[in-house]
Amino acid sequence: MPTKSTGTIGILTAGGDCPGLNAVIRAVAKAAMHYGIKVIGIRDGFRGLVENRTIPLDNALVSGILTQGGTFLGSSRDRPHKMEVGGKVVDLTAAAVRNYRRLKLDCLVCLGGNGTQKTALRLHERSGMNVLTLPKTIDNDVAETDITFGFDSAMAIATEAIDRLHTTATSHQRIIVCEIMGHDAGWLCLGAGIAGGADVILIPEIPYDLEAVARRLMRRQRAGKRFSIVAVAEGIVSREEAKTRAAADRMSHELGLETRLIAQAGSAEGIHLVQEPVASRLARRLQQLTGVEARVTSLGHVQRGGTPTAFDRLLCTRFGTKAGELLAEKHYNIMVGLKGTLCVPVPLKKVAGIKRTVPVDHPWIKTARLVETCLGDETE
Ligand code: F6P
């Protein structure tokens, strides 16, 4: 490990924000400066690089931000090769590269989820820019790391919400369907569902059988339970929807839609696209099937707000300082991941473009089944 190094790095935060971004910025910057590397903050993700909006970082600027949610640099979902300018989508990769060179950067440090990993690799491959990434997302779906930062904090928020829903659900003898983020991965819903003791947990990786869920809820009612909590991931699909999903994906691709659409069988063409929140539809149908009053809570962006948990603060500080060490060694074009107890560099090529969803034989799935949680797939 070098005692001193040289050069300049840029740092940006891209994609959806989450608790822990400021903690990582602080740790990368402090460790890099410790080794003698200059640090430049880039505003609003890749858009700030394209538009050359930067801020030199020093110890004072990264001090006192460990516990702050969000990102003081700002974030965006913009990608240099597909930037929206004046209502048009244009490729501004050349501008990003020009600014990277103008700032005399040795490496661009990118804090982001799957989209960011892909964009960073693309910039490296297309322009020769050096990049180093860190795995950020509440969805926990980045490959080559045991966990992403932000996940634990979001899981704590969703768990607390489920705890609170228990008391109101039991007072009114209701089913409460709680929608949890996670994009197409079920980690957040499964983790919070188990931790909060949800009675039913539905995740995208296990297409659900509506009637099996209803049967479980009625069984609970017959057993004298005064409530049921159904935790659902935003990306869930029913068994029927899973069958038509491939066709719907093809259709949304052909239409050039950026939003994720939910395929529903039953229209004249066999596929009907709807955008109603998944929890509302589910609650309505469960109320019809069980005769029990149902309500919906969609946690939404509350899950991305506020201060990081102690676990995330520690993880972020470890991720960031490891990145600082690797930058001092001029070890680039990697992501820092957690493998077991160690923060390690992994080739970015092994990460970009791969979504880590919940394997159906994952220990958390077995855990849920052993405490009799319904995952929507058994014959009840
Ligand atoms: O990737 C993080 C995430 O919060 C997902 O769980 C969710 O699907 C998405 O971002 C929401 O994105 P936005 O903040 O752009 O609405």
Side-chain angles (χ1 to χ4, degrees), residues 140 146-147 151 155 186-192 194 201 358-371 375:
N140 199 30
D146 293 350
I147 192 165
F151 173 67
M155 189 164 60
W187 294 108
L188 190 54
C189 183
L190 183 60
I194 294 173
I201 301 176
V358 181
V360 288
D361 58 354
H362 191 274
W364 290 7
I365 301 273
K366 190 173 173 193
T367 299
R369 292 197 197 283
L370 286 175
V371 291
L375 297 179

Side-chain angles (χ1 to χ4, degrees), residues 73-116:
L73 289 174
S75 189
S76 72
R77 293 197 185 275
D78 295 313
R79 297 164 293 174
H81 62 287
K82 276 193 181 170
M83 295 282 296
E84 206 190 303
V85 183
K88 283 193 184 146
V89 176
V90 281
D91 186 346
L92 292 178
T93 305
V97 178
R98 218 170 26 248
N99 289 328
Y100 175 91
R101 307 225 184 281
R102 187 178 294 154
L103 294 163
K104 297 194 176 15
L105 298 184
D106 295 290
C107 184
L108 179 68
V109 178
C110 307
L111 281 50
N114 279 317
T116 305

Side-chain angles (χ1 to χ4, degrees), residues 78-258:
D78 295 313
R79 297 164 293 174
H81 62 287
K82 276 193 181 170
M83 295 282 296
E84 206 190 303
V85 183
K88 283 193 184 146
V89 176
V90 281
D91 186 346
L92 292 178
T93 305
V97 178
R98 218 170 26 248
N99 289 328
Y100 175 91
R101 307 225 184 281
R102 187 178 294 154
L103 294 163
K104 297 194 176 15
L105 298 184
D106 295 290
C107 184
L108 179 68
V109 178
C110 307
L111 281 50
N114 279 317
T116 305
Q117 309 296 332
K118 274 209 288 205
T119 303
L121 181 64
R122 189 188 179 94
L123 281 175
H124 167 63
E125 289 182 340
R126 276 187 58 183
S127 70
M129 276 168 58
N130 290 319
V131 293
L132 183 149
T133 65
L134 290 134
K136 167 243 60 170
T137 169
I138 66 165
D139 304 339
N140 199 30
D141 59 354
V142 176
E144 296 295 322
T145 183
D146 293 350
I147 192 165
T148 57
F149 69 87
F151 173 67
D152 185 69
S153 303
M155 189 164 60
I157 296 164
T159 302
E160 196 203 330
I162 293 174
D163 290 349
R164 288 173 186 271
L165 290 175
H166 269 96
T167 58
T168 173
T170 192
S171 305
H172 289 272
Q173 304 200 43
R174 283 173 173 160
I175 296 167
I176 295 199
V177 179
C178 177
E179 184 171 320
I180 295 172
M181 276 186 170
H183 202 230
D184 290 329
W187 294 108
L188 190 54
C189 183
L190 183 60
I194 294 173
D199 307 297
V200 178
I201 301 176
L202 304 181
I203 60 173
E205 293 84 349
I206 303 179
Y208 69 93
D209 175 350
L210 183 73
E211 296 199 345
V213 175
R215 277 196 297 276
R216 168 60 72 99
L217 299 180
M218 288 191 286
R219 210 172 85 196
R220 280 180 56 78
Q221 207 195 20
R222 282 197 301 275
K225 306 279 185 185
R226 288 178 55 88
F227 68 93
S228 289
I229 304 289
V230 181
V232 303
E234 61 179 343
I236 55 164
V237 283
S238 67
R239 286 189 172 166
E240 300 76 54
E241 288 163 348
K243 284 184 201 139
T244 54
R245 187 157 196 179
D249 280 350
R250 265 202 311 280
M251 184 190 289
S252 41
H253 180 72
E254 277 160 24
L255 293 172
L257 296 179
E258 287 285 330

Side-chain angles (χ1 to χ4, degrees), residues 48 287 368:
Q287 182 168 307

Side-chain angles (χ1 to χ4, degrees), residues 321-364:
T321 51
K322 182 68 187 179
E325 280 179 25
L326 292 163
L327 291 163
E329 290 173 342
K330 306 211 176 288
H331 194 152
Y332 305 136
N333 308 317
I334 47 159
M335 180 188 83
V336 181
L338 185 78
K339 297 271 175 97
T341 57
L342 296 178
C343 291
V344 293
V346 288
L348 194 48
K349 272 196 170 164
K350 287 178 79 176
V351 179
I354 299 163
K355 191 166 277 194
R356 192 177 72 103
T357 52
V358 181
V360 288
D361 58 354
H362 191 274
W364 290 7

